[in-house]
Amino acid sequence: MRMSRVLFAAFLVVLAFTGCASGPKYAEVRPTLASPAPSQGRIIFYRPSALGAAVQPDIKLNGQKVGTAKPHGFYFVDRAPGNYEVTAATETEKKLTFTLEPRQERFVRLKIQMGLMVGRIVPELVDRSEAESELKDLAYIPDPLK
Amino acid sequence: MRSVARWALVVAVVSVGLAGCAPEVTRRPTQMTAVTEQPAGTIEVMHDASVRVGPGYTRTIPHGSLWTSIGRVTEGEVFKPVDRVFTVEGTHVHEAYLVLDGNRVVGFYLPVERAFAPMEGRAETRLSIQRRQR
């Protein structure tokens, strides 16, 4: 009986971390990343939590897929200045709207929130200082569309 | 006892479910007139202030935060946060700037939607602010 409990606990831990991003950490990658072109801004997406790891919806920027909500991972896209809308298609869709200026960096946290049946991803606009403290141990996803 | 626990579970599940059904932030289209003076005026918030930013959502405007005047809407002066982000939230989350009438928070300007979202609730929120030289 006790053994089965241990196995169940191990199963839950494995399940929680299945599908987490792996790769070089933000702190290692950051200095090597080229700045965006002067006429562009950068949007960095990250998901700090492994909770609800099985929920990995597509992340769309102005309706175009830019990646998925991979736990413990981050990626970025460079875009022209303008208005942007981030959506994550889960049980319910919560949009985030924000502006992007030239050379500006925007940090979008993909937060898991438990819904009625399954978890959903809520995109949040985050201050640089808060984002960088959460990002430092997250893994870089160089090709988020793969 | 078991029925109490069962009801508690039902209430918890419904609450979690309803959290995803918040109504949208009330807003109306507006036109902002941009500030032409350079450098623009800046204010510093001297004490933390809690503001309702949508149905069931609040945000703290932290002491020490700086906000730059970027223009005016009919309802007041529009201040954009300096080196930080500010959002309002309902069904969706929107980047927002503060709209002040003097030191009173009257609402928020949504730059993407080009809309004014009035403060939620009847309570009046006044900020303790210090204006910096233009």
Side-chain angles (χ1 to χ4, degrees), chain A residues 75-133:
Chain A
Y75 54 90
F76 66 85
V77 295
D78 292 343
R79 288 288 185 272
N83 296 335
Y84 287 94
E85 179 183 283
V86 176
T87 52
T90 43
E91 189 186 28
T92 57
E93 190 179 81
K94 192 148 189 160
K95 287 188 280 190
L96 165 68
T97 60
F98 59 89
T99 57
L100 183 70
E101 294 169 12
R103 289 182 174 273
Q104 188 181 31
E105 282 188 327
R106 293 298 217 171
F107 296 88
V108 177
R109 175 168 56 210
L110 304 170
K111 189 174 91 172
I112 184 85
Q113 203 173 65
M114 296 320 287
L116 264 183
M117 303 302 286
V118 291
R120 59 174 170 265
I121 292 293
V122 176
E124 298 178 315
L125 194 61
V126 183
D127 284 336
R128 170 186 291 277
S129 57
E130 189 180 348
E132 290 203 319
S133 73

Side-chain angles (χ1 to χ4, degrees), chain B residues 72-92:
Chain B
R72 288 197 72 84
V73 289
T74 315
E75 295 80 4
E77 194 172 359
V78 180
F79 290 88
K80 183 180 179 178
V82 177
D83 295 332
R84 64 177 65 233
V85 299
F86 190 80
T87 56
V88 296
E89 186 167 0
T91 308
H92 303 294

Side-chain angles (χ1 to χ4, degrees), chain A residues 44-60:
Chain A
I44 298 163
F45 299 88
Y46 70 99
R47 180 172 169 186
S49 171
L51 185 70
V55 182
Q56 297 185 17
D58 289 351
I59 301 301
K60 290 183 176 175

